[in-house]
Amino acid sequence: MPNYSYEFSKPSTNERRLELYDNKLIGHIDSDIKYSSSGKSIRIMSVFIDEEYRGKKLCRPFMIEFIKKIQDDNPDMISLDNVGGIPSAKCYLHAFKDSGYTAYDTYYRQTILNNERCSIEDGCTDMYFFKGGKRRRRHRTRKSLRIQYPMKSRRHNRSYFS
């Protein structure tokens, strides 16, 4: 089994890069830090693994290593634009889950479950991850459901809100 090595660098104050080596450069992840009123987010710009090394289950440990390295930046959110299709989406979902992140409203959760196809033209390639389950979808309460769907009273055969 080959021994892969990683090299993490900060080309500028807002850029992060992780490189994967097997005596030569075989992959890299480039990212950019964005600041907004909602906090700090990291946008993964590209994930690349050389064609010769694809299919060797390198994506998941490579992505997990990247997530470990950027923890010093303490991001509120990590996002990426997946153009690699369902296999790479599965890799990202599992890597982020293993690192304690939760996917938020990604089209890919539904796509993977239904084995559907997704393309850049559809605009469904964005993936968002939050640490520890932040920003989950709010659970609906019975009261909010009643406002949307008024129930009929069995006893008087009329709506509760009439």
Side-chain angles (χ1 to χ4, degrees):
M1 176 137 181
N3 188 16
Y4 300 108
S5 62
Y6 302 101
E7 186 176 310
F8 186 69
S9 63
K10 299 178 180 179
S12 73
T13 55
N14 289 340
E15 294 178 12
R16 303 293 179 262
R17 182 178 175 94
L18 181 67
E19 296 175 340
L20 176 63
Y21 289 93
D22 181 23
N23 296 326
K24 64 177 182 172
L25 179 66
I26 61 170
H28 62 84
I29 299 175
D30 293 320
S31 67
D32 197 17
I33 298 175
K34 303 282 185 192
Y35 297 93
S36 68
S37 60
S38 60
K40 186 189 299 185
S41 66
I42 293 183
R43 177 79 175 166
I44 297 175
M45 308 305 273
S46 68
V47 178
F48 175 78
I49 295 177
D50 194 331
E51 286 184 28
E52 181 182 334
Y53 291 86
R54 291 180 191 166
K56 296 186 178 182
K57 306 283 185 194
L58 292 175
C59 176
R60 195 169 177 177
F62 190 31
M63 188 58 77
I64 290 172
E65 184 68 24
F66 177 75
I67 295 167
K68 286 179 190 174
K69 297 288 187 184
I70 61 171
Q71 288 310 304
D72 293 341
D73 294 318
N74 199 17
D76 297 316
M77 178 185 75
I78 301 174
S79 63
L80 60 91
D81 189 25
N82 178 29
V83 294
I86 300 293
S88 59
K90 285 183 179 180
C91 163
Y92 303 144
L93 286 172
H94 290 294
F96 279 97
K97 182 180 178 186
D98 292 349
S99 300
Y101 281 80
T102 301
Y104 176 70
D105 285 346
T106 61
Y107 182 82
Y108 272 105
R109 272 194 291 177
Q110 291 300 89
T111 312
I112 289 170
L113 293 175
N114 299 330
N115 287 324
E116 296 172 0
R117 298 229 178 260
C118 178
S119 67
I120 300 171
E121 292 81 25
D122 297 335
C124 59
T125 58
D126 284 339
M127 301 178 82
Y128 302 95
F129 300 93
F130 295 90
K131 186 70 175 169
K134 287 183 189 175
R135 304 213 182 190
R136 284 190 181 174
R137 233 182 227 179
R138 186 175 62 90
H139 294 287
R140 291 186 172 177
T141 62
R142 291 184 105 191
K143 186 177 181 182
S144 69
L145 287 174
R146 255 190 276 149
I147 291 170
Q148 291 176 4
Y149 309 104
M151 296 179 283
K152 299 250 181 183
S153 167
R154 290 184 196 158
R155 190 169 170 199
H156 302 290
N157 199 15
R158 61 186 167 102
S159 174
Y160 284 121
F161 300 105
S162 48

